[in-house]
């Protein structure tokens, strides 16, 4: 341990930020030997052929810096995907950038366009990286609460929250932590809201391929007037069961991409080369995502069946790999307290929504990740049913 007295006094740039709830819960789950349905990641492995492809690219010597914007084969494959799925034409040269995870893409987008004092609309509960990224870049987060228990966008409140300083709106569909998705009506409202303005959109679509009950993913890319002002963020971690590889991307019109790349080139410069080559093969061959929704829908349905008849009440989950459960029939404890007790006494780790909230008191619900082997879900459900 170094001598503390030698370190100069600091003024924190993020005084109210501590260690993320994901780190806290996963660490405690490991220490206590609990079943970990907290942090969002699969407990099963990715396609062995994808691992083999990474190893092959490494053996073939693709081990040096990738081009700053990403390996061309991967950008081409993404351009083809956006054309096929959303009818959008992104130029891989000037409108597609590969990043070190969706998190980097979110941070760089905010850093690229938010000036000191600009207001950014975020919807709570919101993914925990948004607000710190806004604050670090001198922006002012303006928090609008999603409705409960639908987690829908209250459009009247959005209109009321807009000011002359509003610069950016951040959407996330399918939504973490709730599993809610944007609908065609939402896209109509949004188009009306931004029409004729200079507003920009950051659309976190990392769960785009995990959407249930036959719904179609409402990407900003589908609507030309929205795509023209949007950074659309994706993550290969979610699609290929490889959250630890930290590879993502952003698609955005050329003018936005130019500013984005000015930031990206100094945050990471470029992302992991052999992984990009391997993922490019999978995206080009349409491997992984066409069947992903059905795969996770079966897991959601299994988890719901397993807890049926218990005191846990599920809210609607229409996408993502998170299920929110209402626990009001079990206890009146707040969500942080109950999540800790559930972990320590019953050995099941979950995520409370309080860390994603800024204005509202947390409702009595917990988030459970069902990206887990069936036997993991069965063991967890057995413990949940006992409450
Ligand atoms: N946005 C949301 C809503 C997420 O759930 C995640 C996953 N942690 C990310 C962004 C970040 O993705 P990545 O792991 O690729 O950085
Ligand atoms: N997105 C993951 C979740 O919501 C966690 C990612 C992280 O730990 N930063 O659980």
């Amino acid at each position: 341990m170094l001598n503390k007295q030698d370190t100069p006094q600091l003024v924190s740039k993020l005084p109210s930020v501590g260690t993320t709830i994901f780190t806290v819960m996963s660490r405690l789950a490991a220490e206590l030997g609990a079943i970990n349905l907290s942090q969002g990641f699969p407990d099963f492995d990715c396609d062995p052929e994808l691992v083999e492809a990474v190893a092959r690219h490494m053996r073939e010597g693709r081990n040096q810096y990738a081009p700053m914007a990403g390996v061309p084969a991967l950008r081409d494959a993404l351009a083809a995907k956006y054309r096929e799925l959303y009818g959008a034409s992104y130029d891989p040269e000037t409108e597609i950038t590969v990043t070190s995870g969706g998190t980097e893409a979110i941070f760089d987008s905010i850093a690229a366009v938010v000036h000191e004092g600009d207001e950014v609309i975020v919807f709570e509960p919101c993914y925990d990286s948004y607000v710190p990224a806004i604050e670090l870049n001198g922006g002012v987060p303006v928090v609008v609460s999603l409705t409960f228990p639908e987690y829908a966008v209250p459009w009247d409140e959005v209109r009321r929250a807009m000011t002359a300083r509003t610069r950016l709106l951040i959407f996330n569909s399918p939504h973490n932590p709730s599993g809610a998705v944007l609908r065609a009506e939402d896209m109509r409202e949004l188009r009306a809201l931004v029409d004729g303005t200079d507003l920009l959109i950051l659309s976190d679509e990392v769960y785009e391929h995990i959407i249930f009950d036959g719904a179609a993913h409402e990407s900003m890319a589908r609507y030309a007037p929205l795509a023209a002002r949007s950074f659309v963020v994706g993550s290969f971690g979610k699609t290929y069961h490889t959250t630890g590889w930290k590879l993502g991307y952003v698609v955005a019109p050329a003018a936005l991409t130019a500013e984005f790349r000015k930031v990206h080139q100094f945050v990471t410069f470029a992302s992991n080369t052999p992984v990009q080559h391997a993922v490019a093969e999978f995206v080009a061959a349409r491997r992984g995502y066409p069947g992903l929704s059905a795969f996770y829908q079966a897991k959601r349905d299994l988890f719901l069946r397993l807890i049926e008849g218990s005191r846990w009440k599920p809210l609607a989950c229409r996408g993502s790999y998170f299920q929110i459960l209402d626990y009001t029939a079990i206890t009146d404890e707040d969500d942080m307290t109950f999540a800790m007790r559930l972990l320590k006494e019953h050995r099941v780790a979950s995520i409370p929504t309080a860390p994603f909230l800024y204005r509202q008191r947390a409702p009595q619900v917990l988030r459970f990740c069902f990206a887990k082997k069936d036997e993991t879900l069965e063991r967890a459900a057995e413990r949940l049913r006992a409450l």
Side-chain angles (χ1 to χ4, degrees), residues 101-103 106 127 130 172 176 204 206-207 235 238 246-247:
T103 309
I106 291 163
Y127 190 57
Y130 304 163
N172 170 214
N176 178 7
D204 178 347
V206 299
Y207 299 104
S235 170
K238 317 291 172 190
K246 292 301 296 186
L247 198 70

Side-chain angles (χ1 to χ4, degrees), residues 354-365:
F356 307 134
L357 293 167
Y358 297 85
R359 296 173 54 206
Q360 249 182 2
R361 239 185 96 219
Q364 288 172 304
V365 300

Side-chain angles (χ1 to χ4, degrees), residues 31-53:
E31 274 169 27
L32 297 172
I35 301 172
N36 190 0
L37 305 192
S38 65
Q39 194 177 22
F41 62 88
D43 72 344
F44 43 83
D45 224 337
C46 65
D47 188 332
E49 286 184 36
L50 187 56
V51 175
E52 191 39 53

Side-chain angles (χ1 to χ4, degrees), residues 211-226:
I211 183 156
F212 307 138
D213 308 317
H217 170 56
E218 289 288 6
S219 177
M220 296 295 160
R222 266 186 205 287
Y223 302 90
L226 297 178

